[in-house]
Amino acid sequence: IMALSTKPYKGTRDFYPHDMRIHTWMYDKMKEVVKSHCYEEYNGPMLESFELYAAKTGEEIVNQQLYTLEDKSNRKLAVRPEMTPTMARMVAGQVLELPKPVRWFSFPNLWRYERPQRGRLREHWQLNVDLLGGEPLYADYEILNIAYKLIDNFGGKDKIKIHVNNRKLINHFFTEILGLTAEQALKASKAVDAKAKIPEEVYKTQLQEAGVPEEQFEKLEAFFNSDLETMKSNYPCEGVNELTELFELFKNTDVEEQLVFDAKIMRGLDYYTGTVFEIYDISPENNRAMFGGGRYDNLVGLFGKQQLSGVGFGMGDVTLRQFLETHNLLPDDLHDFVDVFITLPENKFFKASVQITESLQKLGLKVFTPLQKAKFANQLKLANKINAHWAIIFGDTEFNNNQVVVKNLKSGEQKTLDLNNLEKIREV
């Protein structure tokens, strides 16, 4: 019989305990920030109706990347490729009862059938942060501020740039200046969004197919290379006004230095309507957007009459971990998951080791017991391998005197403690 493969499905990962510690630590650090702004955690099903994504997500995801299946009643389902449509569906279900603004976050695993590469897998986890309701300008400010604070909480604020644009400005340029229809404008924006990932010739062909003739290419380049001041003069519109107000709000704040206007930021999803942004790692090793998001004002309205504007972003765990590793921002003590290792020299001491374990656990310490007898040398080797801080050693002499020897495995220091004084272990 052929042995089963030990490898996971292509584009997915096994989280061994070491990886899980990093994963959990990243999640806890992110949670600290969003909870400090009173965002509440929610979750939803991994399977949704196919129509939920067909309605607004974007052609590339729906046609090429969606994992689809039929249930036994022939309903067409999809494995969630993103969380925003689920969140919008849930908000729409209770839109009149929910206190406004709605501040929600989630950390779902998401699936997309794409070619696995650096920073991109078929399954990943993503922090989703969404804010629905409130004055749009202030809500955009809060969401961008939180995105900055998340990176700052990992110690990486000077290693990123936040690139900001506005879909109203892009739409104005494509429809009013280039004379494209709304459908053509969407196609053209998708070509621009993919420009960095496709050959120049393919990019030009896609633009022409979207209705942009070659003689307009120069105008296109000029637009994409314009700064915000030039936009004010050459392309005055609501999108420019919103960008100006937003950048004004960030003046003299910590975020200002990291904030840049970038007319090339599109975001590929169809539901964005206003501010869009992407956070870039400044290291050449990670030459792509780490994460991004934007404003969606019509998504909740898809589920009924009630409209509720929203803004949010998704921050993937794959690119975040690469960012933290590239800049050496992972803490050294993530491997220190054992506080105390209790040796077991003889089986007759097993019950005593259980009592010592429970006493230490009551002091809030994490205790490792080997569950089989062995020589001290072998057990201390294991204690060092698992990075324990202290080892407790005892034999007949200590046991008869109601004592144990505590060895600090980091410093080499050791001390004898009475069993009723185990709280002093932290002093060794």
Side-chain angles (χ1 to χ4, degrees):
I1 300 167
M2 202 168 90
L4 291 169
S5 170
T6 59
K7 291 195 169 106
Y9 166 65
K10 186 177 181 178
T12 68
R13 291 162 290 167
D14 290 324
F15 285 87
Y16 283 89
H18 163 74
D19 299 301
M20 203 64 211
R21 284 200 293 278
I22 294 173
H23 189 72
T24 305
W25 174 80
M26 291 192 321
Y27 182 34
D28 289 345
K29 292 285 282 181
M30 294 190 283
K31 240 202 279 205
E32 273 173 31
V33 175
V34 289
K35 283 196 161 184
S36 74
H37 285 265
C38 296
Y39 282 69
E40 290 191 282
E41 190 163 12
Y42 73 99
N43 209 338
M46 188 177 279
L47 292 177
E48 289 277 16
S49 77
F50 175 79
E51 287 70 35
L52 185 66
Y53 305 108
K56 271 287 181 184
T57 288
E59 276 178 44
E60 187 190 2
I61 289 178
V62 174
N63 297 338
Q64 296 166 32
Q65 297 175 356
L66 210 57
Y67 279 87
T68 56
L69 66 149
E70 279 191 5
D71 69 9
K72 293 184 190 297
S73 301
N74 300 320
R75 298 181 193 89
K76 196 170 181 186
L77 302 173
V79 183
R80 62 185 178 203
E82 53 161 337
M83 198 63 175
T84 310
T86 296
M87 180 276 306
R89 175 182 63 71
M90 288 170 65
V91 169
Q94 296 188 6
V95 69
L96 297 174
E97 297 89 54
L98 289 168
K100 314 294 185 301
V102 176
R103 289 182 168 100
W104 281 8
F105 79 94
S106 189
F107 194 54
N109 59 335
L110 306 172
W111 291 82
R112 292 187 189 183
Y113 189 80
E114 50 186 343
R115 190 166 56 84
Q117 54 192 281
R118 181 168 172 81
R120 201 176 279 268
L121 296 172
R122 288 179 176 173
E123 182 197 30
H124 73 286
W125 272 253
Q126 181 171 292
L127 175 74
N128 271 68
V129 182
D130 288 277
L131 172 54
L132 296 100
E135 168 66 46
L137 173 65
Y138 301 154
D140 289 356
Y141 174 88
E142 178 168 303
I143 280 290
L144 278 165
N145 195 29
I146 288 173
Y148 167 85
K149 282 185 179 176
L150 281 166
I151 299 297
D152 185 23
N153 205 33
F154 287 109
K157 66 179 180 184
D158 56 343
K159 295 169 177 59
I160 56 151
K161 287 288 177 196
I162 305 170
H163 293 232
V164 184
N165 197 9
N166 192 298
R167 283 291 272 261
K168 289 176 187 170
L169 168 59
I170 300 158
N171 292 343
H172 169 79
F173 175 72
F174 281 140
T175 56
E176 303 300 317
I177 309 298
L178 297 186
L180 304 180
T181 64
E183 198 180 322
Q184 287 174 321
L186 192 59
K187 278 187 183 167
S189 68
K190 284 187 187 304
V192 173
D193 191 43
K195 186 182 179 187
K197 304 170 210 157
I198 56 177
E200 183 73 12
E201 285 312 306
V202 177
Y203 167 64
K204 286 179 175 173
T205 305
Q206 286 185 2
L207 281 179
Q208 285 171 322
E209 284 171 359
V212 183
E214 203 160 341
E215 57 269 22
Q216 297 272 36
F217 284 4
E218 268 184 49
K219 209 180 269 188
L220 203 67
E221 284 306 306
F223 173 80
F224 289 129
N225 292 319
S226 296
D227 59 21
L228 195 49
E229 286 306 310
T230 309
M231 290 293 182
K232 283 184 208 171
S233 326
N234 296 355
Y235 311 101
C237 64
E238 194 181 350
V240 170
N241 296 343
E242 287 181 7
L243 282 162
T244 305
E245 288 180 326
L246 187 60
F247 274 78
E248 195 59 42
L249 273 187
F250 278 108
K251 276 213 168 129
N252 304 318
T253 67
D254 293 342
V255 187
E256 185 184 13
E257 208 176 310
Q258 265 60 48
L259 213 59
V260 290
F261 167 70
D262 184 351
K264 293 183 283 296
I265 298 299
M266 298 280 160
R267 302 295 294 158
L269 301 171
D270 293 359
Y271 50 66
Y272 289 124
T273 55
T275 298
V276 281
F277 64 93
E278 289 182 349
I279 280 75
Y280 278 81
D281 180 353
I282 59 170
S283 165
E285 273 184 60
N286 303 320
N287 189 20
R288 59 191 297 269
M290 273 173 70
F291 67 99
R295 170 156 292 282
Y296 47 87
D297 286 338
N298 307 321
L299 207 50
V300 173
L302 286 174
F303 301 91
K305 291 176 188 165
Q306 293 291 330
Q307 289 282 4
L308 186 62
S309 67
V311 61
F313 63 84
M315 179 179 182
D317 71 317
V318 182
T319 49
L320 173 60
R321 181 163 168 180
Q322 283 171 355
F323 171 77
L324 297 173
E325 286 170 344
T326 300
H327 299 288
N328 297 315
L329 296 172
L330 287 172
D332 296 330
D333 61 0
L334 273 180
H335 315 305
D336 301 350
F337 69 102
V338 177
D339 293 322
V340 187
F341 181 99
I342 297 184
T343 56
L344 183 63
E346 297 289 342
N347 287 333
K348 66 181 179 181
F349 294 126
F350 177 70
K351 273 198 167 176
S353 80
V354 169
Q355 287 170 338
I356 295 166
T357 297
E358 288 177 354
S359 299
L360 291 166
Q361 285 168 335
K362 281 175 186 164
L363 295 170
L365 293 164
K366 300 186 289 290
V367 187
F368 186 103
T369 52
L371 294 183
Q372 62 186 50
K373 69 170 187 177
K375 290 177 182 167
F376 285 133
N378 291 340
Q379 294 201 342
L380 288 177
K381 200 183 280 182
L382 175 60
N384 280 310
K385 190 174 182 180
I386 60 171
N387 247 29
H389 197 108
W390 296 280
I392 283 190
I393 304 161
F394 60 95
D396 286 313
T397 310
E398 288 79 17
F399 188 66
N400 293 335
N401 291 325
N402 216 29
Q403 291 177 324
V404 290
V405 173
V406 177
K407 182 177 175 76
N408 185 322
L409 296 169
K410 309 288 182 190
S411 68
E413 188 189 341
Q414 63 182 52
K415 227 183 216 177
T416 302
L417 289 184
D418 287 342
L419 283 177
N420 56 1
N421 264 347
L422 281 176
E423 70 276 2
K424 291 194 170 172
I425 191 169
R426 289 189 171 97
E427 295 169 18
V428 180

